């Protein structure tokens, strides 16, 4: 009994690609890209001027947002300032309690 011949012939991938021919690409070619319509110099200048001017709606929106942000900032500052006064009082009370407790322990220890 002989062994089966399970060898496979070597196929050169470059030769196979040439044999199949050029592949069909799905997207635009380089030639299409180079031949695309382009704006004239005057159109480019107009576009740049329009970008420099900006949109009025955007400017109005930014102003409204700045105003609302300033109002929120003022409110938070007021809260922090009013809160800081009470927090200093609380700290002083805590310090007094600690001093009293330390004095009590000192008298008990001696």
């Amino acid at each position: 009994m002989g062994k089966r011949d399970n060898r496979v012939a070597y196929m050169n991938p470059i030769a196979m690609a040439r044999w199949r021919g050029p592949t069909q690409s799905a997207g635009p070619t380089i030639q299409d890209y180079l031949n695309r319509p382009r704006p004239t110099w005057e159109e480019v200048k107009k576009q740049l001027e329009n970008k420099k001017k900006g949109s009025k709606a955007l400017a109005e929106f930014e102003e409204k947002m700045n105003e609302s942000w300033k109002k929120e900032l003022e409110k938070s500052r007021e809260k922090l300032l009013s809160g800081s006064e009470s927090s200093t009082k609380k700290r002083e009370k805590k310090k007094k309690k600690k001093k009293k407790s330390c004095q009590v322990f000192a008298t008990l220890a001696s």
Side-chain angles (χ1 to χ4, degrees), residues 17 20 35 85 89:
R20 278 188 236 125
N35 292 331
E85 292 173 3
K89 291 178 183 177

Side-chain angles (χ1 to χ4, degrees), residues 2-9:
K3 292 185 178 177
R4 280 196 177 161
D5 188 12
N6 56 5
R7 292 178 291 172
V8 179

Side-chain angles (χ1 to χ4, degrees), residues 4-88:
R4 280 196 177 161
D5 188 12
N6 56 5
R7 292 178 291 172
V8 179
Y10 174 75
M11 304 294 278
N12 187 345
I14 297 171
M16 292 291 291
R18 286 185 185 147
W19 179 74
R20 278 188 236 125
T23 58
Q24 297 295 327
S25 63
T29 63
I30 296 172
Q31 200 66 30
D32 294 338
Y33 179 75
L34 292 174
N35 292 331
R36 72 190 186 282
R38 295 186 184 90
T40 62
W41 183 240
E42 287 76 23
E43 291 173 352
V44 171
K45 285 182 182 177
K46 287 180 184 177
Q47 289 176 355
L48 289 174
E49 288 175 8
N50 290 338
K51 282 186 182 179
K52 286 180 184 176
K53 290 180 184 175
S55 65
K56 293 180 183 177
L58 179 63
E60 291 173 2
F61 174 74
E62 286 178 347
E63 287 177 15
K64 287 180 184 178
M65 291 302 291
N66 284 337
E67 290 173 5
S68 64
W69 174 252
K70 286 178 184 177
K71 289 177 185 176
E72 288 180 26
L73 190 62
E74 288 174 8
K75 288 179 184 177
S76 64
R77 282 181 182 163
E78 289 174 4
K79 286 180 184 177
L80 288 175
L81 291 175
S82 65
S84 64
E85 292 173 3
S86 64
S87 65
T88 54

